[in-house]
Amino acid sequence: MAQRKIKVLVAKPGLDGHDRGAKTVATVLRDHGMEVVYTGLHQTPEMIAEVALQEDVDVVGLSILSGAHMSLFPRVRKELEVRGMGHVLLTGGGIIPAEDMAELEKEGFTRLFGPGTRTDDIAEWIQTAVEKSRASEGV
Amino acid sequence: MKDSRAAAAPPVVPVDAKARWSAAMEKARLRDAEFTTVSGVPLEPVYGPDDVATDFERDLGWPGEFPFTRGVHASMYRGRLWTMRQFAGFGTASQTNERFKFLLDHGQTGLSVAFDFPTLMGYDSDHAHSIGEVGQVGVAISSLEDMETLMGGIPMDRVSTSMTINGPAPILLAFYIACGEKQGVDPTKLRGTVQNDILKEFQAQHAWLVPPDPALRMITDTMAYCSEHVPQWNTISISGYHIREAGSTAAQELAFTLANGMEYVRRGVAAGMDVDTFAPRLSFFFDSHLDFFEEICKFRAARRIWARKMRDVYGAEDPRSWMIRFHTQTAGVTLTAQQPENNIVRTALEALAAVIGGTQSLHTNSMDETLSLPTEKAVKIALRTQQVLAEESEVAHVADPLAGSYFIEAQTNRLERDAEAYFGEIDRRGGVVPCIEAGYIQREIHRSAVEYQRAVERGRKRVVGVNCYVEDREAHPDIELHRIDPAVEKEQGARLASLRQRRDGNRAQSALDDVREACRDGGNLLERFIAAAHAYCTLGEIGAVLREEFGEYVEPKIL
């Protein structure tokens, strides 16, 4: 049986208007055969989790270049858990200092990507991570 | 001085030289399959007279003379150097006030305020949407009281201030005017710029308050009020910077920025103003990217296009209405997180292009800005980069020094043609606002951003430290980071709560009612904002009235 397409929600939490990276990544993931939903700008953590639930996504990718990552990333995770979406693969990127990335990765953000990342690397990483988690769930 | 050898010597170039050159090029082994500008435009290996149909008097002329290709001032930098204006702002008003004083003490000649996202979006620091964002990317200014702290000890009649704010621009300008009045400075003495360019917000930068039509009305209100009461203020800075940073090409930056400029001119005229009453106060803001020659040509083309449009299409008669005066910032997107010290070199090249391109003021980015807000040390190096250019390189002595180069003139002409093609397309689609609502401009920018990213990832476009000359060390080296204390948010919240207690509540309410009434009856909004500022109404309170009256903007989906 054919594998279900990987479904990714690319989201812009907070007031940050810098969407070049988010939209570029969304386009590249689509080129890699994934189904991509882009939230648009200025989303609250609640709005993002709600879309993730409605769309039943495998992955949520957050993009933040506003410095608000230490506040917004954990709030999105909490809202996902509240909606029973704790299993979703959480990732993201933006202007995030290395030590903050390390701390967020410890808190369950599997992997975060900084400036200069190859978008193909992000796509390949998602592909592998989702396949691994599907295999472990026996999907 | 004529070269006396020219007449006597025999021709040194044999007549069949061009054919021989072509043949040699056919055979030559080249290091790449294609050679393009950073915007992806193919380049010839060399340019000659056949590539240029430039007429000196018509297309170039003299500095300070129509069509201003060569600069807007007759004496250019011999008269006065460009203004060195570093964009700064973070944390609380008092922290930013200290940074301003530091920059002024080190020879900076103008202030430039960076606001945080809540302020940019018209929310107070204690609004639910502001959590985690207060003071992060700029300074939090929620009221006249914050503005008074920001400008404390800085003589407002002697410093020019640029404020990067758009959706709520007239409200922040009202805080500034009211703050000046409290310092005893008459509005006629205030000098500066408010970015106030909402069209590019919808296209690229995305910090808006209300939908396009009411937003444009607030802009024409600002132009009308300032032309009478704050005559030295630049009421708008029509910005290509954010369009470029969002991923556009040089030609798109040029075209969309000037198309926006023309839209503001049409709106001003439609609001009943004579074009020459407001056009001299329009200013512009461009990016300076890494393609040295293409950028210089972009600046030259911008001046020539604007001059022609303003004189020949919009009927402006005052030569000051024909001139594009512009600020430039080096390209943030060209900075790399890998080997960040290299960013000093990138920024220096971009700054040199801006100076040769004849900019009126310049911000040079700091090397650490892909990691966090800049540290004091990094900011000082960035400022010193400009000072080295100004004081040591001797490049500022001659206006438009590259004019007459076949390559430069061909590229300048090419950019003008590309921009004209976009103007035609925008017209066919009904104008700038319908193009925004349909997502056309946003989609064009996005397409270019993706193409650029692919070029980097395929190795067609090389970036030192990213896809060549890569070092093993992890992306983030031992570089000091400038962090914002989370306490800033709590302090700001407490200050606002106390302000709401201390102020005259009735006076504040009645000032807000006046704003609401002006939204409905067409009264000048800036005038009401100034009264509301004096009554210590907050940014968020005024913004809420505008959102209630005018509605909120919903961006079109382009993906």
Side-chain angles (χ1 to χ4, degrees):
Chain A
M1 202 176 81
Q3 275 273 13
R4 187 169 75 100
K5 260 191 182 186
I6 295 175
K7 195 164 180 183
V8 185
L9 177 65
V10 175
K12 283 291 299 178
L15 301 177
D16 179 19
H18 300 98
D19 60 355
R20 176 177 181 169
K23 289 193 302 199
T24 301
V25 169
T27 302
V28 170
L29 296 183
R30 209 168 275 170
D31 292 347
H32 278 257
M34 299 181 200
E35 192 178 344
V36 179
V37 180
Y38 172 55
T39 58
L41 292 162
H42 309 144
Q43 305 289 302
T44 62
E46 293 80 2
M47 290 157 86
I48 292 167
E50 203 51 42
V51 178
L53 177 68
Q54 298 303 325
E55 299 281 345
D56 188 23
V57 297
D58 302 293
V59 183
V60 174
L62 304 177
S63 163
I64 302 189
L65 293 86
S66 69
H69 48 272
M70 293 313 276
S71 160
L72 286 165
F73 275 57
R75 282 165 56 206
V76 172
R77 196 196 49 186
K78 198 184 120 221
E79 293 299 329
L80 284 169
E81 282 167 359
V82 165
R83 287 165 182 77
M85 298 287 286
H87 59 279
V88 163
L89 189 68
L90 255 177
T91 179
I95 303 286
I96 304 172
E99 59 211 61
D100 291 1
M101 277 197 187
E103 201 174 322
L104 289 167
E105 283 171 10
K106 264 189 274 173
E107 287 182 26
F109 285 85
T110 45
R111 168 102 190 260
L112 301 176
F113 299 91
T117 305
R118 290 177 68 246
T119 51
D120 287 342
D121 289 348
I122 301 175
E124 283 155 26
W125 181 83
I126 289 177
Q127 191 92 37
T128 312
V130 171
E131 277 164 13
K132 219 168 84 185
S133 99
R134 282 180 179 175
S136 71
E137 287 166 19
V139 180
Chain B
M1 194 165 34
K2 285 259 192 257
D3 187 338
S4 57
R5 289 169 307 176
V12 282
V13 182
V15 281
D16 59 350
K18 189 170 182 189
R20 283 166 46 185
W21 169 76
S22 293
M25 278 303 291
E26 293 277 317
K27 275 187 286 179
R29 281 167 58 99
L30 307 178
R31 66 188 157 79
D32 258 325
E34 57 173 2
F35 295 83
T36 69
T37 69
V38 86
S39 301
V41 177
L43 293 173
E44 300 297 331
V46 69
Y47 287 77
D50 295 345
D51 299 304
V52 185
T54 295
D55 178 278
F56 182 85
E57 292 299 334
R58 182 194 63 199
D59 301 322
L60 302 180
W62 301 93
E65 295 293 326
F66 192 90
F68 305 100
T69 311
R70 317 201 59 191
V72 294
H73 299 302
S75 59
M76 280 310 288
Y77 302 135
R78 287 195 178 200
R80 210 181 72 177
L81 287 168
W82 64 92
T83 302
M84 299 178 193
R85 194 190 293 278
Q86 298 297 88
F87 187 43
F90 56 87
T92 61
S94 66
Q95 287 172 321
T96 299
N97 174 264
E98 274 173 43
R99 175 68 67 93
F100 282 171
K101 287 175 178 164
F102 170 88
L103 288 165
L104 291 169
D105 285 348
H106 283 85
Q108 175 164 297
T109 47
L111 295 177
S112 175
V113 191
F115 296 101
D116 68 358
F117 270 113
T119 308
L120 292 172
M121 293 288 293
Y123 295 115
D124 285 339
S125 296
D126 55 359
H127 191 280
H129 286 331
S130 307
I131 300 170
E133 315 249 18
V134 176
Q136 286 290 348
V137 297
V139 60
I141 301 291
S142 300
S143 71
L144 169 58
E145 188 170 74
D146 290 339
M147 187 65 85
E148 289 172 72
T149 308
L150 183 72
M151 299 307 292
I154 298 170
M156 291 172 72
D157 52 347
R158 273 183 281 149
V159 70
S160 82
T161 304
S162 168
M163 294 194 283
T164 296
I165 186 93
N166 295 279
I171 307 172
L172 271 294
L173 176 57
F175 290 166
Y176 193 85
I177 292 168
C179 182
E181 285 170 344
K182 300 209 96 178
Q183 269 196 13
V185 177
D186 191 80
T188 56
K189 297 246 166 54
L190 296 177
R191 287 178 303 121
T193 303
V194 67
Q195 197 166 78
N196 205 21
D197 171 13
I198 199 66
L199 292 171
K200 70 91 176 51
E201 292 299 320
F202 297 123
Q203 295 161 1
Q205 171 88 341
H206 309 316
W208 47 66
L209 182 64
V210 294
D213 281 317
L216 285 161
R217 175 208 154 170
M218 290 208 286
I219 291 170
T220 48
D221 279 3
T222 305
M223 289 174 177
Y225 184 89
C226 290
S227 68
E228 202 175 325
H229 304 285
V230 203
Q232 299 191 75
W233 198 268
N234 298 314
T235 48
I236 194 164
S237 170
I238 303 154
S239 306
Y241 188 80
H242 320 83
I243 293 171
R244 189 67 180 279
E245 293 285 299
S248 84
T249 63
Q252 289 170 336
E253 176 193 0
L254 181 65
F256 298 152
T257 309
L258 298 186
N260 290 345
M262 290 186 272
E263 182 65 24
Y264 294 122
V265 169
R266 282 191 288 269
R267 298 273 174 158
V269 170
M273 287 182 271
D274 178 335
V275 65
D276 285 319
T277 61
F278 67 89
R281 297 320 303 179
L282 303 178
S283 64
F284 288 77
F285 171 23
F286 291 107
D287 200 291
S288 191
H289 212 281
L290 263 175
D291 191 321
F292 184 73
F293 295 115
E294 188 176 44
E295 293 303 283
I296 292 169
C297 297
K298 179 185 76 186
F299 300 130
R300 303 173 82 240
R303 281 191 294 264
R304 187 160 78 200
I305 296 169
W306 188 252
R308 287 176 173 163
K309 295 288 182 196
M310 290 305 288
R311 190 188 71 176
D312 303 338
V313 179
Y314 298 100
E317 288 170 4
D318 183 342
R320 292 177 309 146
S321 302
W322 305 336
M323 296 176 194
I324 269 199
R325 293 166 302 119
F326 63 88
H327 172 69
T328 306
Q329 180 169 341
T330 57
V333 291
T334 65
L335 304 182
T336 64
Q338 295 75 12
Q339 305 173 35
E341 293 87 347
N342 299 343
N343 293 330
I344 298 172
V345 182
R346 296 188 176 98
T347 297
L349 271 171
E350 294 164 356
L352 179 59
V355 167
I356 293 184
T359 194
Q360 274 58 65
S361 65
L362 180 60
H363 166 104
T364 32
N365 291 326
S366 300
M367 64 169 167
D368 52 1
E369 293 189 56
T370 56
L371 307 171
S372 70
L373 288 190
T375 59
E376 214 157 73
K377 181 183 171 195
V379 167
K380 197 154 79 177
I381 294 172
L383 176 60
R384 293 284 185 254
T385 303
Q386 297 198 36
Q387 290 162 340
V388 169
L389 281 179
E391 306 294 347
E392 298 182 18
S393 76
E394 321 296 2
V395 294
H397 302 337
V398 176
D400 193 26
L402 300 187
S405 145
Y406 300 124
F407 176 43
I408 289 288
E409 298 305 347
Q411 285 283 309
T412 304
N413 295 346
R414 187 269 297 173
L415 282 156
E416 185 170 4
R417 278 195 309 274
D418 289 355
E420 286 291 348
Y422 269 116
F423 299 151
E425 187 59 30
I426 290 168
D427 279 347
R428 271 190 295 283
R429 291 168 181 267
V432 170
V433 172
C435 280
I436 289 170
E437 287 166 346
Y440 165 70
I441 291 172
Q442 299 92 309
R443 221 171 278 120
E444 284 292 292
I445 296 170
H446 173 61
R447 186 170 52 83
S448 301
V450 172
E451 271 167 26
Y452 180 85
Q453 184 65 26
R454 288 201 175 114
V456 171
E457 296 195 11
R458 305 287 180 270
R460 288 200 305 275
K461 168 89 193 69
R462 281 181 277 283
V463 182
V464 172
V466 173
N467 65 2
C468 56
Y469 313 106
V470 177
E471 288 179 11
D472 282 340
R473 262 173 60 189
E474 239 315 271
H476 302 288
D478 311 322
I479 205 158
E480 190 197 343
L481 291 182
H482 178 182
R483 285 187 175 273
I484 303 302
D485 187 344
V488 161
E489 196 158 307
K490 285 202 185 70
E491 280 171 36
Q492 251 314 92
R495 225 185 335 270
L496 269 171
S498 143
L499 173 71
R500 294 197 187 97
Q501 287 291 318
R502 280 179 282 122
R503 71 183 177 189
D504 176 345
N506 291 333
R507 186 181 167 203
Q509 188 51 55
S510 108
L512 288 176
D513 292 342
D514 287 347
V515 168
R516 192 181 299 277
E517 193 183 290
C519 289
R520 295 175 185 178
D521 72 12
N524 190 293
L525 280 165
L526 179 54
E527 196 183 325
R528 312 298 167 91
F529 295 156
I530 297 169
H534 277 297
Y536 288 98
C537 296
T538 66
L539 169 63
E541 290 164 346
I542 301 169
V545 171
L546 298 174
R547 284 186 165 101
E548 283 159 25
E549 292 298 317
F550 294 136
E552 297 203 35
Y553 177 67
V554 182
E555 56 168 338
K557 286 238 182 269
I558 72 153
L559 276 182

